[in-house]
Amino acid sequence: MCKDTEEPGDVHVKYTALGDAFVVSVRFGSEHPARKRTPATRFHFVLDNSGSMGRNSQAAKECFADLAAVATLGVSLVSFDTTAQLLGEAFKTPQEMRDVRLPRQGGTNISAGIQASVDLIRKIAKQEDSHHLLVLLSDGMHGS
C-alpha cells in the first residue's frame, strides 16, 4: 500500500518502500503552476515482474497508476519476466491501470521489457507529436 504525504503548494506525494528503495508518485493539484504549462505527455512504465520482485511489482503498479491522472495522453504499462507483455497502451485513469492484473512472475529479461516499450513509443510517434517519458523499475540485472 502506498503511503500518502500532503505537502504545501497543492502537491500530493505517495511513496512505498521496495526493499532498500522507494517508489514515489507526485500529483500536482489543478491550480499548481506545473499544470498550467503541461505539454502533451505520455508515460511508459516498464515493470520488472520477476520472482525476486515478489509483491513489490504490484505495489509499484499501484503507485504508478496515479500518474495516469497527470499524463495528458495516457500511460502504458509493460511488465517483463522472461518475456515482455504490453498490459495497456493508454490508460487514462488510475483505476484503469489498477484494474489490470500482472501476469505470473518469472525470470528477468530487462531487454525485452525496454524493447516492447520503445516499440510502442515509435508506433505512437508516427501518429502524434508528444513527449514520452519511459520509467524502468527493476531490482536486478538482466538474466535471460
Side-chain angles (χ1 to χ4, degrees):
M1 188 66 147
C2 296
K3 296 180 182 179
D4 295 326
T5 303
E6 290 290 342
E7 294 290 331
D10 205 19
V11 176
H12 185 74
V13 178
K14 280 187 173 184
Y15 64 93
T16 188
L18 290 176
D20 293 336
F22 288 89
V23 172
V24 179
S25 77
V26 178
R27 185 178 67 228
F28 298 101
S30 60
E31 298 303 314
H32 192 277
R35 288 272 196 179
K36 308 243 185 246
R37 296 182 303 272
T38 304
T41 304
R42 286 185 182 270
F43 295 128
H44 304 276
F45 295 104
V46 181
L47 180 59
D48 183 344
N49 195 40
S50 63
S52 63
M53 286 287 288
R55 292 185 206 148
N56 292 332
S57 294
Q58 183 65 31
K61 182 183 74 100
E62 295 294 319
C63 288
F64 289 161
D66 288 331
L67 292 173
V70 176
T72 57
L73 296 173
V75 172
S76 71
L77 176 63
V78 170
S79 75
F80 67 90
D81 50 23
T82 53
T83 61
Q85 185 174 353
L86 177 62
L87 301 178
E89 287 188 24
F91 297 110
K92 298 287 187 187
T93 68
Q95 192 59 50
E96 285 178 331
M97 192 167 173
R98 284 189 178 97
D99 289 345
V100 171
R101 291 180 45 92
L102 291 173
R104 195 170 189 169
Q105 293 180 311
T108 308
N109 188 342
I110 294 173
S111 299
I114 293 171
Q115 188 63 56
S117 191
V118 168
D119 289 347
L120 176 61
I121 291 168
R122 286 182 176 146
K123 176 183 138 187
I124 293 169
K126 291 178 183 177
Q127 302 166 3
E128 69 185 25
D129 183 25
S130 57
H131 179 75
H132 298 269
L133 176 68
L134 188 150
V135 177
L136 168 67
L137 178 72
S138 178
D139 67 348
M141 297 174 54
H142 177 76
S144 54

